[in-house]
Amino acid sequence: MRSRFTAPSARLALAAVAAVAVTATATATATADSRSTAVRACVTKDLTYKVSLKTQAGGYFLVTAKAKSGVTCYLEGVFPSASFGSSADTEVSPAEHAASDRITLSGSTAAYAGINPKTTNNDHGREFDFLHLAVAGDETNAVTLALPETATVDRPVATNWHADPADAVPFPG
């Protein structure tokens, strides 16, 4: 009978030691992961955005993206997900046919994308004062940005994200 009372106590002690060991391992793993140098992909909320009007190449909007304080992430060299309204004909199409280099954002490092709201040579289009923008793949968290001036939109295009604003000029096709 005595062994019956001892066995549960021994099992409880063994379980307590095992729990401490698992907790210590999990803590060590979490600490190692937090010191990891791996940079993750940016999501829309990681960044701050500025839109400016440029006159080169017939006029376009230059979007500047920077990482928020304390954030380090990267943008793939693909065009941003953007639209001027909610209908499909106001969504930007790619102005480039190949991916650009990946850009790591942190501190004052910026990424740039050029958006040409009107690629047609006619009097058609609709006017918009705002741009809806998201990092590709994170469209459900899009931000709405005020444009520096009203844009007439007809078949808009966007360049990929670039490290140099001179590479983000959406030249007319």
Side-chain angles (χ1 to χ4, degrees), residues 5-24:
F5 291 114
T6 316
S9 298
R11 278 187 254 155
L12 286 174
L14 184 57
V17 169
V20 169
V22 168
T23 303

Side-chain angles (χ1 to χ4, degrees), residues 37-73:
T37 59
V39 177
R40 64 179 174 76
C42 297
V43 293
T44 305
K45 70 178 181 176
D46 288 335
L47 309 173
T48 60
Y49 306 92
K50 176 183 158 196
V51 180
S52 54
L53 181 63
K54 300 295 179 182
T55 57
Q56 185 179 1
Y60 68 98
F61 295 107
L62 180 67
V63 178
T64 303
K66 292 184 178 181
K68 290 182 179 177
S69 179
V71 173
T72 298
C73 61

Side-chain angles (χ1 to χ4, degrees), residues 73-85:
C73 61
Y74 67 84
L75 282 174
E76 291 293 348
V78 296
F79 70 103
S81 181
S83 69
F84 289 89

